Amino acid sequence: MSDARSAAVAFLRAAWTPAALVAALLAVVVVASALGAEGGQVAITEMLIRVVVVIGIYVFAGNSGILSFGHIGFMCIGAYAAGWAACDPEWKGLMLTGLPAFLAEHRYPMPVAVLGSAALGGVAATLFGMAITRLSGIAASIATFAFLVIVNSVYANWDTVTAGTSSMVGIPAVVGPWTSLLFAAIAIVVAYLFQISGYGLMLRASRDDAVAAASSGVDIRRLRLIAFGVSGAIVGAAGGVYAHFLGILTTDTFYLDLTFITIAMLIIGGIGSLTGAVVGVLFITLVIEVLRALEAGVTIGGAAIALPHGAQEVGLGVLMALVLIFRPQGIMGGQEVPSPFPPAGSGRLRAGRIPESENGKFVEPVR
Amino acid sequence: MMGRRTEASVALRHSDTDDRPPGVANPLPSPMSATLTHASDCSATDLAAAGISVRFQGLAAISEVDLTVRRGEVLGLIGPNGAGKTTLVNCLTGHQRPSEGRILLGQMDITGWSPQKFRRAGVARTFQSGRLFKDMTVLENVETTAVGLGRSRRAAAREAMDALDWLGVADSAERLAGVLPYTDERRVAIARALVVPPEYLLLDEPAAGMSDSECDELLGFVNEIPGRYGCGVLLIEHNMRVVMNSCSRIVVLDGGRRIAEGTPEAVQKEPGVISAYLGEG
């Protein structure tokens, strides 16, 4: 095998998972555009932004094994950061008197505003992470929830900066399916690179066995903090994109409903893999849309069927319970998209005997 | 951090056990010759517990224990169940802070350091229960240590494969660690501790539950470690035949106290050891 060819195979092997996920999302956008449904564009855009959010949560929760209920707080921080950057200066001068001059007097384009969202989300996550990475297990998860409550209270009452309980308006609503697809693709690539890096490896080791990881020289607190910062930046960016999709911000948008739906997406899809995060968003979105359509009523063979109001929430709950009963590890069960390329180091690693199956759980050798 | 000891360690890895000067027929080289041959980059330092005691809410697990592991030797640590062997290893690897006494690495007082600082200072261990990263592959298990000690992913994978190769489990590199048979699990655990060779390796009952032949095979590897990697090995082991054959020196614990220390022959003759551990009959 020539060097060029083996390098190409190595690249394809490494790029397979993110490429397959981006291709799947692209297919969804193309199909939805072709169908040309009226509300389709909005639903698809919202779904793709949720892909970014759930991937952001996954970067920390999936790799470290610590569930976070606080990430929508970073999304809130990112969304308002984008709002500060992108709102009409006249309105800002009137309503947001507490803003510093560089925000109050200027209006920044969407990419700049979203960069600011990612930066602020990342900084907030790093600072808060210094506190929560001292905790572990359920205590850390509860602390993340406390963070969500704090962010919500501060942003709902900080009138001169966030417009408090009245809405922040006038953000250019420039984000549609294609822009959000671009951000979803960036999130997928960033999350995948993090996962296959040494940081990702050590974090997953600490997730499996923290004691043994420490004995392997792994500085668990530092790694959790890095992951928390990266994950806060991704979710912050998602907030910035969401602000440019909604055009109007209220703090209620970034609270319990969004927290629970995104966590449900991650867990149903499978918290153990990037593919699980993406599949979870697609699956739950599909279920919600189908139930919503049924609530509105459909005509099958001349008979009109409409589910009672509330069927959407009940149906979603029942379905989630069923998935967790039959697949507690989520739909993907910790696996990535099956790869057509043999795993790393094929020649030498594959030379040995075929490992016999125990529980059928080992990675099947590809020849 | 990245470059620390890289060259030396690579040289160390590839040095062959058979390059000892001719005439050294003994498969267990004296401590000094191994240290000088293979690890001239590191000063000869001992890992020592100095008068350590551990009390759990007033209950003494170990009391005023002294123990010194030297590079290039296999030191046996034996004693009946509950004698405090694992607690002592926990102290020597940063998993348990002694209530009294100090842990010394050469002249350096490392009492109270975290486990990852112990490993970075060159003190590695395995666990009685294996504690492999079950949802990761065998290769990733071993790579984790190499990456944790500052290697790049590429270098980590190469060194991890070398370690797995040496322990005869390279064929299982892509299997999930959680589904390995017991004997392979132990070998992977040793590979994980040995990759980026430490100066000291503390093995907590690596052969527990193995048949005699499996046990002999594993101890064959353990006996080669000092010569091959230039490190000192502390071996907790219940099988007396194995301990007597493998170890150049033995420390005996009973009831949390050190009751004997010496060569296998000398320790076997100690009346205290005979009554406490070997039994009267």
Side-chain angles (χ1 to χ4, degrees):
Chain A
M1 193 187 285
S2 74
D3 274 2
R5 175 142 180 252
S6 65
V9 169
F11 176 78
L12 284 175
R13 188 184 298 130
W16 168 252
T17 297
L21 292 177
V22 172
L25 293 181
L26 177 67
V28 170
V29 174
V30 168
V31 168
S33 303
L35 294 178
E38 185 66 17
Q41 303 286 314
V42 170
I44 291 291
T45 306
E46 189 150 29
M47 181 193 80
L48 290 168
I49 295 170
R50 284 180 176 179
V51 165
V52 181
V53 176
V54 173
I55 286 175
I57 301 173
Y58 162 78
V59 165
F60 177 72
N63 289 307
S64 76
I66 300 170
L67 197 53
S68 166
F69 298 106
H71 271 69
I72 297 305
F74 301 122
M75 192 181 179
C76 181
I77 289 171
Y80 275 85
W84 296 331
C87 265
D88 183 357
E90 265 182 52
W91 185 83
K92 281 191 282 196
L94 211 63
M95 294 291 292
L96 308 180
T97 50
L99 283 183
F102 80 97
L103 288 174
E105 294 161 13
H106 297 90
R107 187 171 206 175
Y108 298 92
M110 190 270 286
V112 178
V114 171
L115 269 182
S117 304
L120 202 63
V123 168
T126 305
L127 291 176
F128 175 61
M130 287 176 184
I132 73 133
T133 50
R134 292 177 172 275
L135 308 170
S136 57
I138 191 71
S141 298
I142 300 284
T144 58
F145 184 71
F147 173 78
L148 176 69
V149 176
I150 291 170
V151 170
N152 185 264
S153 301
V154 170
Y155 274 64
N157 292 291
W158 199 0
D159 292 345
T160 57
V161 174
T162 64
T165 43
S166 54
S167 306
M168 187 187 269
V169 295
I171 305 161
V174 294
V175 168
W178 295 103
T179 317
S180 52
L181 176 66
L182 175 69
F183 281 101
I186 294 172
I188 286 170
V189 171
V190 170
Y192 188 71
L193 289 177
F194 184 83
Q195 171 176 323
I196 63 169
S197 73
Y199 295 128
L201 179 78
M202 290 189 283
L203 260 179
R204 280 180 286 129
S206 76
R207 177 191 69 190
D208 278 10
D209 192 319
V211 172
S215 258
S216 288
V218 173
D219 188 343
I220 298 172
R221 272 197 53 202
R222 181 172 148 265
L223 286 164
R224 284 181 180 166
L225 182 59
I226 291 168
F228 205 67
V230 172
S231 124
I234 295 174
V235 176
V241 176
Y242 202 39
H244 282 88
F245 163 68
L246 297 173
I248 175 169
L249 293 176
T250 55
T251 50
D252 284 350
T253 311
F254 306 99
Y255 208 37
L256 299 179
D257 285 355
L258 193 54
T259 296
F260 290 127
I261 196 80
T262 48
I263 287 175
M265 286 168 165
L266 183 56
I267 290 175
I268 296 291
I271 197 169
S273 70
L274 180 60
T275 307
V278 175
V279 166
V281 180
L282 294 178
F283 178 73
I284 297 285
T285 304
L286 182 68
V287 169
I288 290 175
E289 292 303 319
V290 167
L291 288 171
R292 187 177 286 166
L294 289 177
E295 265 184 15
V298 287
T299 313
I300 299 172
I305 303 170
L307 292 177
H309 194 65
Q312 189 191 323
E313 286 77 10
V314 174
L316 192 59
V318 169
L319 196 81
M320 270 157 50
L322 287 176
V323 170
L324 289 179
I325 288 166
F326 292 108
R327 281 195 79 95
Q329 301 298 307
I331 294 170
M332 291 308 295
Q335 301 296 308
E336 298 294 357
V337 197
S339 168
F341 305 103
S346 52
R348 194 169 160 208
L349 298 182
R350 299 285 137 207
R353 64 195 156 81
I354 304 169
E356 62 272 23
S357 168
E358 282 166 51
N359 310 338
K361 235 189 128 189
F362 67 91
V363 181
E364 194 75 42
V366 182
R367 279 164 198 275
Chain B
M1 196 175 76
M2 290 290 285
R4 193 179 72 101
R5 287 185 48 196
T6 304
E7 292 308 313
S9 301
V10 168
L12 213 90
R13 292 201 57 80
H14 294 294
S15 65
D16 194 341
T17 2
D18 293 329
D19 64 5
R20 261 182 258 112
V24 184
N26 187 345
L28 259 184
S30 76
M32 283 318 288
S33 77
T35 310
L36 291 176
T37 313
H38 297 293
S40 49
D41 59 309
C42 302
S43 58
T45 54
D46 293 341
L47 174 67
I52 60 166
S53 304
V54 173
R55 282 185 294 274
F56 298 113
Q57 290 158 356
L59 190 73
I62 51 176
S63 310
E64 293 160 25
V65 172
D66 293 306
L67 174 142
T68 302
V69 196
R70 302 192 189 109
R71 294 190 62 179
E73 73 169 356
V74 179
L75 172 67
L77 178 59
I78 64 173
N81 281 329
K85 303 183 296 290
T86 297
T87 305
L88 182 55
V89 165
N90 285 347
C91 286
L92 283 166
T93 51
H95 289 270
Q96 172 71 49
R97 194 190 175 111
S99 316
E100 274 162 36
R102 293 182 304 157
I103 308 295
L104 300 168
L105 185 60
Q107 302 301 313
M108 195 165 36
D109 187 343
I110 58 175
T111 321
W113 281 19
S114 62
Q116 77 259 21
K117 279 184 85 178
F118 268 80
R119 181 60 185 88
R120 288 173 185 188
V123 181
R125 73 170 294 179
T126 64
F127 298 88
Q128 225 176 95
S129 47
R131 301 200 90 130
L132 294 185
F133 309 126
K134 292 187 169 49
D135 289 338
M136 293 165 61
T137 67
V138 165
L139 182 62
E140 286 176 324
N141 263 266
V142 183
E143 273 184 276
T144 298
T145 301
V147 172
L149 297 171
R151 296 285 192 273
S152 69
R153 280 301 305 256
R154 191 183 297 262
R158 196 178 56 236
E159 292 187 32
M161 270 321 284
D162 285 349
L164 289 170
D165 219 11
W166 182 61
L167 282 149
V169 281
D171 287 352
S172 303
E174 295 297 330
R175 296 180 71 182
L176 280 183
V179 301
L180 286 183
Y182 194 66
T183 48
D184 286 355
E185 195 178 277
R186 293 307 162 102
R187 291 185 187 201
V188 173
I190 293 176
R192 187 176 66 179
L194 260 185
V195 73
V196 188
E199 291 170 20
Y200 295 95
L201 177 60
L202 286 69
L203 301 169
D204 195 350
E205 298 198 30
M210 288 187 183
S211 71
D212 272 2
S213 65
E214 290 165 345
C215 182
D216 286 344
E217 209 181 332
L218 187 76
L219 268 296
F221 286 110
V222 172
N223 286 333
E224 272 189 53
I225 290 172
R228 189 180 173 88
Y229 294 100
C231 56
V233 175
L234 181 142
L235 174 67
I236 298 184
E237 178 50 59
H238 267 305
N239 187 328
M240 289 307 289
R241 181 181 59 81
V242 164
V243 178
M244 294 301 163
N245 291 338
S246 301
C247 303
S248 45
R249 224 155 40 89
I250 291 176
V251 169
V252 188
L253 286 186
D254 184 29
R257 294 181 180 276
R258 193 184 71 169
I259 58 168
E261 175 177 357
T263 61
E265 298 74 29
V267 164
Q268 264 177 313
K269 293 186 185 111
E270 291 260 346
V273 177
I274 294 167
S275 66
Y277 189 67
L278 300 175
E280 305 291 346

